[in-house]
Amino acid sequence: MIFGMSNPAPVNFDDFTENYNALLARSTKFFTPSEEYFASYKVQILKRETESLQIDRILEYGCGIGRNLPFLRSAFPQACIEACDISPKSQEVAKENNPHVEFYVESDLVKQERQYDLVFVAGVFHHVPVEDRRNLVKKIFFRCSPGGWVFIFEHNPWNPVTRKIVHDCEFDQDAVLLRPTELLSLVSWAGFVQPKHRYCLFMPPHLKLLARIEKFFGKIPLGGQFWVNALRKK
């Protein structure tokens, strides 16, 4: 894992479909024994931040093996949920566990024209070569309906524990972590408005009382991750 430089050779996620969860669990077992916690946690934030919005269509961009999708279905039971990824093998795994989600590979140009009220992107940008990130955020912009929102979760490069985890993780060997300012700049450049960011993932789940109040720590740059949301203006 490096920070602020060009990416090394890209990771092929087809190689990690069978042991992705095991590798994640091994890297994060000091924080929680359940690797599902991180997916649930992000979707809880997503639900909280969109409670006042009408969300009928959701896209998870870069769904991988579908770890977030059951939690998205539970949080947004009335929404149509779709998912795309560049890894066909990852999608095969995701389809087995999420039969009510429509999947498509990112190379499907026809389906790229679909638009959504909410585009959810978790842990994707740090795998994308720095020079390709503008192209990616522009694609995401056009996937949002006018009046739709993007939510992007990324690792916090200021957190030394996060940096250690990413450094040691086999499927993060191509990672180049983003500063929040870089991601905010990208979404603004693409045409999104009202960009906002907050830090998250401060407390392990066994500290339940503190975990309940950590949303009030969002401006403190110490969380393990951060998120950015922004609006595509009508």
Side-chain angles (χ1 to χ4, degrees):
M1 183 275 296
I2 54 181
F3 177 31
M5 300 169 59
S6 296
N7 295 63
V11 167
N12 184 349
F13 279 90
D14 283 354
D15 297 335
F16 295 98
T17 55
E18 295 182 2
N19 62 348
Y20 184 98
N21 285 333
L23 290 171
L24 178 63
R26 187 174 70 189
S27 299
T28 59
K29 62 183 178 181
F30 73 94
F31 192 85
T32 173
S34 172
E35 82 281 351
E36 290 186 346
Y37 173 74
F38 301 101
S40 173
Y41 178 91
K42 287 191 281 284
V43 173
Q44 286 175 22
I45 292 176
L46 192 67
K47 178 65 174 177
R48 183 187 75 214
E49 295 293 321
T50 60
E51 281 182 339
S52 63
L53 304 176
Q54 180 67 36
I55 305 294
D56 296 320
R57 291 177 58 82
I58 299 173
L59 172 69
E60 181 174 7
Y61 189 101
C63 65
I65 62 171
R67 296 175 61 254
N68 301 311
L69 292 170
F71 301 101
L72 284 172
R73 168 54 62 210
S74 178
F76 300 92
Q78 305 305 319
C80 170
I81 299 176
E82 299 182 14
C84 67
D85 201 274
I86 63 171
S87 168
K89 284 190 176 181
S90 295
Q91 283 203 335
E92 288 175 11
V93 175
K95 287 177 182 178
E96 291 177 5
N97 299 317
N98 299 279
H100 302 298
V101 174
E102 181 177 349
F103 294 87
Y104 58 91
V105 292
E106 179 54 16
S107 57
D108 189 331
L109 298 179
V110 173
K111 291 181 179 177
Q112 282 186 22
E113 297 180 359
R114 295 180 177 180
Q115 292 186 318
Y116 306 86
D117 304 309
L118 177 64
V119 178
F120 173 54
V121 191
V124 171
F125 272 83
H126 65 265
H127 290 293
V128 176
V130 174
E131 63 273 16
D132 294 338
R133 289 174 179 172
R134 281 195 169 193
N135 182 51
L136 173 57
V137 76
K138 202 65 176 178
K139 284 184 178 181
I140 292 170
F141 176 83
F142 288 117
R143 302 288 176 88
C144 284
S145 303
W149 291 82
V150 64
F151 266 79
I152 305 172
F153 285 79
E154 275 297 333
H155 295 314
N156 178 14
W158 307 122
N159 185 303
V161 177
T162 294
R163 290 173 67 98
K164 170 66 173 170
I165 291 171
V166 173
H167 180 272
D168 293 343
C169 184
E170 291 183 38
F171 53 75
D172 275 335
Q173 294 308 298
D174 65 350
V176 177
L177 301 188
L178 300 81
R179 299 177 181 90
T181 52
E182 179 186 351
L183 194 48
L184 288 166
S185 177
L186 282 169
V187 298
S188 296
W189 172 85
F192 288 104
V193 297
Q194 300 179 29
K196 167 185 171 183
H197 84 284
R198 292 290 185 270
Y199 296 92
C200 59
L201 209 62
F202 292 87
M203 309 293 179
H206 65 269
L207 298 177
K208 292 182 179 180
L209 180 60
L210 292 176
R212 288 174 187 165
I213 64 172
E214 72 169 24
K215 65 182 180 180
F216 300 109
F217 305 156
K219 294 185 179 180
I220 303 173
L222 298 178
Q225 295 190 347
F226 69 91
W227 55 266
V228 166
N229 71 344
L231 169 70
R232 179 173 177 179
K233 193 175 180 180
K234 289 184 179 180

